[in-house]
Amino acid sequence: MGLKILTEHINVPGIETLEVYRKHGGYKSVEKALKTMSPAEVVEEVKTSGLRGRGGAGFPAGMKWSFLAKPEGIPRYLVCNADESEPGTFKDRWYMEKNPHGLIEGMITSSYALGANTSYIYIRGELMFILRILEKAIAEAYAAGLLGKNILGSGYDLDLHVAPGGGAYICGEETALLESLEGKRGNPRNKPPFPAVKGLFQSPTVVNNVETISSVPWIVNNSGAEYAKIGIGRSTGTKLISASGNINNPGVYEIELGVPVEEFIYSDEYCGGIWKGRELKAVVPGGSSVPILPKNLILKTAAGENRLMSYESLSDGGFVTGSMLGSGAFIVFDEEQCIVRNTWNYARFYHHESCGQCSPCREGTGWMEKVLHRIEYGHGHQQDIDLLVSVAKQIEGNTICPLGDAAAWPVAAAIRHFREEFEWHIKHPKEATAPGAVYRGQLDTVTA
Amino acid sequence: MAETINEVQFSDAALAEMQRYISHYPEGRQKSALLPILHIAQAEFGGWVSPEVMDKIAEILDIQPIEVYEVATFYTMFNLKPVGKHVLEVCRTGPCCLRGADELIDTLKRKLNIEEGETSADGMFTLKPVECLASCGTGPMLQVRELYYENLDSEARVDEFLAMMRQKEHETPAWAK
């Protein structure tokens, strides 16, 4: 069992209440930060920790904080991105439901560091039941003097609110989120200016993920240097991994970064192996937007080393032989799964969720969905495979926000590693579209 | 709950909840409360928002009606036409499909004798496939209002779920309790 930073007390009965949370050390970081540290010192500890944004991009959190513009007389905001909508990702939902005060404590400590006096948790609208849990916990925190005016007699004021979205994946992108929080359509903004300069209500704003913010109390309590000792290389600390798909033990696991992928898949402590006694076929290691890797490449790097659960190891070799840790959504495919059908499913998702602002994304995601649909349903042509690669290339890098890349990468990677499966679908439409049909070639092929 | 949609009269509890959300934002930024207010309106008027309801929201927020329309049509959670008593929002995205989401949708279509987007003849159920609901480890699943129903991986569990929903009354929204 590795060190648990976020989940040490997650199964304690009543931990969602302030009383039990405080009995287990809750809100100590607020006392320490507000009474003994300057905001700059808190920022410095987060920088020292090496904590990287846990929403998917992995940008160093302390560095992001240090970009915040600080002109006098203009409010600053901290916005928590709780719009978790990436297929495969359910860690934030799980964490907020189980441990709402963990997030609220992180919001207070982080808001203090950033000089924000009003902060928001933007939560996806589907999670209204978690909004209720958070609001109940926030009310407890206000009643205990942990929120509001002059928190714990420190002179620091903070108001914290929860705002629901309306069911749009694009609002996980930070500028689309800010638009939505202002009561508009979730269309991403052009950058620059970045939110750190002009964010919510045109004021300096930091947008951080739930898990990122919830990691801050431990760093304040134990120091950034101690946090940096956990993990491996520039992948410091622990990470919540949401594991799903064809495994025996789907769920959320907190790991110290650096655990071997093979151990994560097969050990009983984590995924417990492939369900129904089947073989592993492939894994999407970081949420639906990151490239899929076949069995051989998810377990070993192209150099033959053990692939590790870390930012660097999972991306080793770039997209030719690697993928990304992303949001930590680990989707496992057994040998009975059809890669073409799965790729079409994700293409449909990205087409549905494109905000429609940029032509390459709006049109390209629709084309990819249609072409994949016809291949999956037995009407594909051989040139369709190259057409898909071409469309994906024309979307990638040509849109205001990363949703274009997120839509293109899964298609390109599926063809890169499973081209034979697409060809088989086109050559054998009747066999490929029969119920339960699965192409079984290439399972052991080295594609590097 | 308001009596008829034509009157567009929100209940006192709903209006109070709307004002609570408006108070979360700086003066002059009341439009920021639009999404939560649309959620409240939808719960208040039988699960959907009509043009008349949106006009009323614009009046409350002191913004133009078009500003409400463009938002309500962008976000998939807002229904723009009448729906059944229970809207079954079934996750159809990748991870749930790996665990049987397609079969769940087919089973519901067969048992309710409807296609996707349709409402059953008795007005009880609307079937609405949706994208990822952040319940990938407990799929296949669906959402009804604020609640999740997970691991619906057998016909018996679907039967049990439908029987329960047939007996279920509208839940009082948390803000109205």
Side-chain angles (χ1 to χ4, degrees):
Chain A
M1 292 286 284
L3 177 68
K4 305 299 180 200
I5 286 177
L6 294 162
T7 63
E8 184 182 1
H9 304 299
I10 204 99
N11 290 320
V12 172
I15 197 69
E16 73 280 4
T17 64
L18 181 65
E19 184 187 354
V20 177
Y21 184 71
R22 285 190 113 167
K23 273 185 190 165
H24 288 81
Y27 288 103
K28 278 188 181 164
S29 75
V30 173
E31 291 217 38
K32 182 176 179 182
L34 271 57
K35 291 185 175 174
T36 69
M37 298 170 77
S38 69
E41 285 172 330
V42 179
V43 173
E44 201 52 41
E45 288 297 335
V46 174
K47 283 172 89 169
T48 303
S49 74
L51 173 68
R52 297 167 67 161
R54 301 301 198 216
F59 191 80
M63 194 182 294
K64 190 174 188 177
W65 286 14
S66 65
F67 293 157
L68 192 70
K70 290 173 181 155
E72 290 300 319
I74 297 175
R76 283 164 235 149
Y77 294 102
L78 171 64
V79 176
C80 174
N81 186 345
D83 189 57
E84 186 174 56
S85 314
E86 173 94 349
T89 312
F90 51 99
K91 65 185 176 73
D92 292 341
R93 169 226 156 167
W94 177 85
Y95 182 77
M96 290 186 289
E97 186 175 358
K98 294 265 189 181
N99 193 22
H101 282 290
L103 173 59
I104 294 166
E105 180 176 359
M107 287 297 291
I108 299 169
T109 311
S110 304
S111 297
Y112 170 72
L114 297 168
N117 295 112
T118 304
S119 294
Y120 296 95
I121 299 171
Y122 179 94
I123 190 166
R124 65 180 298 190
E126 289 87 342
L127 303 181
M128 206 60 90
F129 60 105
I130 294 176
L131 179 146
R132 313 288 179 213
I133 292 170
L134 285 171
E135 287 201 327
K136 191 174 175 188
I138 286 171
E140 285 186 304
Y142 267 105
L146 291 159
L147 282 169
K149 298 282 182 198
N150 192 22
I151 295 172
L152 300 178
S154 66
Y156 174 62
D157 306 335
L158 176 66
D159 283 315
L160 178 61
H161 307 296
V162 191
Y169 167 76
I170 188 61
C171 293
E173 194 279 332
E174 62 179 1
T175 60
L177 185 155
L178 295 175
E179 286 287 292
S180 184
L181 192 49
E182 293 181 4
K184 303 176 214 163
R185 297 166 70 108
N187 289 137
R189 299 173 180 171
N190 277 312
K191 291 189 278 191
F194 288 90
V197 178
K198 285 193 174 180
L200 185 64
F201 308 134
Q202 296 295 299
S203 293
T205 302
V206 165
V207 182
N208 276 149
N209 170 262
V210 170
E211 186 185 348
T212 314
I213 291 169
S214 302
S215 300
V216 171
W218 194 95
I219 292 167
V220 168
N221 287 333
N222 299 277
S223 85
E226 284 300 307
Y227 190 87
K229 288 178 187 169
I230 307 161
I232 184 167
R234 288 188 296 117
S235 299
T236 62
T238 65
K239 178 85 188 77
L240 296 179
I241 304 290
S242 44
S244 65
N246 307 137
I247 47 176
N248 286 319
N249 307 327
V252 178
Y253 300 98
E254 183 173 11
I255 62 163
E256 288 186 40
L257 286 164
V259 171
V261 170
E262 188 162 8
E263 181 185 335
F264 186 71
I265 294 175
Y266 291 104
S267 89
D268 288 338
E269 187 181 344
Y270 302 116
C271 298
I274 310 303
W275 72 349
K276 301 181 181 178
R278 294 178 187 167
E279 287 291 315
L280 171 66
K281 182 173 187 176
V283 171
V284 174
S288 66
S289 62
V290 312
I292 190 171
L293 290 177
K295 177 182 178 178
N296 56 311
L297 282 177
I298 189 63
L299 299 180
K300 303 279 184 188
T301 65
E305 295 169 345
N306 281 338
R307 184 86 71 180
L308 308 178
M309 301 287 283
S310 75
Y311 290 95
E312 288 76 24
S313 185
L314 281 167
S315 62
D316 184 71
F319 284 174
V320 175
T321 58
S323 182
M324 290 172 72
L325 178 63
S327 61
F330 198 84
I331 311 167
V332 179
F333 299 76
D334 72 30
E335 59 189 322
E336 299 287 321
Q337 301 302 333
C338 172
I339 297 298
V340 177
R341 186 167 188 80
N342 176 71
T343 309
W344 162 61
N345 185 295
Y346 287 131
R348 180 177 64 185
F349 171 83
Y350 287 104
H351 181 211
H352 185 269
E353 297 299 329
S354 171
C355 77
Q357 193 176 193
C358 310
S359 304
C361 179
R362 181 184 64 243
E363 305 299 331
T365 53
W367 289 359
M368 290 198 300
E369 183 195 344
K370 280 179 189 167
V371 174
L372 283 161
H373 183 273
R374 71 178 178 232
I375 296 174
E376 166 64 10
Y377 283 90
H379 306 290
H381 314 289
Q382 274 303 324
Q383 60 269 35
D384 279 347
I385 301 175
D386 289 334
L387 176 62
L388 282 169
V389 173
S390 169
V391 173
K393 271 187 188 166
Q394 291 178 67
I395 299 172
E396 186 181 352
N398 290 318
T399 52
I400 289 174
C401 84
L403 190 137
D405 297 349
W409 290 343
V411 174
I415 295 172
R416 185 184 311 129
H417 297 301
F418 295 94
R419 191 179 184 104
E420 286 178 28
E421 190 155 338
F422 288 83
E423 289 172 346
W424 181 75
H425 265 72
I426 292 165
K427 284 179 190 161
H428 307 89
K430 284 186 182 171
E431 289 171 58
T433 54
V438 175
Y439 176 68
R440 295 178 190 284
Q442 209 183 358
L443 277 176
D444 300 316
T445 306
V446 175
T447 54
Chain B
M1 190 173 182
E3 284 302 311
T4 68
I5 204 156
N6 291 329
E7 293 173 10
V8 192
Q9 182 60 51
F10 288 108
S11 65
D12 289 345
L15 287 168
E17 183 70 354
M18 290 176 182
Q19 288 304 322
R20 187 177 74 85
Y21 275 109
I22 290 170
S23 75
H24 291 173
Y25 301 97
E27 200 175 334
R29 298 288 187 176
Q30 74 280 3
K31 185 183 173 184
S32 295
L34 178 51
L35 265 69
I37 285 178
L38 278 165
H39 282 295
I40 294 165
Q42 183 156 286
E44 184 93 332
F45 288 108
W48 71 292
V49 285
S50 68
E52 292 80 11
V53 167
M54 287 191 268
D55 289 347
K56 186 70 178 178
I57 290 172
E59 191 183 308
I60 291 168
L61 286 175
D62 193 22
I63 58 178
Q64 294 300 313
I66 185 65
E67 295 178 81
V68 184
Y69 303 160
E70 66 179 8
V71 166
T73 53
F74 181 82
Y75 295 93
T76 55
M77 289 187 74
F78 304 119
N79 300 310
L80 304 176
K81 58 181 184 180
V83 292
K85 181 178 174 184
H86 302 300
V87 181
L88 310 182
E89 297 187 87
V90 189
C91 176
R92 65 174 184 180
T93 314
C96 268
C97 282
L98 291 176
R99 302 183 76 92
D102 287 340
E103 290 80 357
L104 173 59
I105 291 171
D106 286 344
T107 303
L108 288 168
K109 282 159 73 172
R110 179 163 45 83
K111 290 188 177 289
L112 301 174
N113 196 27
I114 52 175
E115 292 298 316
E116 295 173 9
E118 292 180 352
T119 300
S120 58
D122 59 2
M124 186 71 79
F125 298 103
T126 297
L127 181 58
K128 183 180 176 186
V130 298
E131 298 302 343
C132 187
L133 286 172
S135 188
C136 317
T138 39
M141 58 81 64
L142 55 79
Q143 180 172 26
V144 185
R145 294 208 169 203
E146 294 192 9
L147 297 179
Y148 276 18
Y149 299 89
E150 300 168 311
N151 296 310
L152 297 170
D153 53 2
S154 71
E155 188 150 338
R157 284 185 66 87
V158 175
D159 285 338
E160 189 184 341
F161 162 77
L162 289 174
M164 178 187 68
M165 294 308 293
R166 285 197 166 92
Q167 301 300 318
K168 207 172 171 78
E169 290 304 311
H170 279 303
E171 292 148 35
T172 307
W175 44 263
K177 283 178 182 168

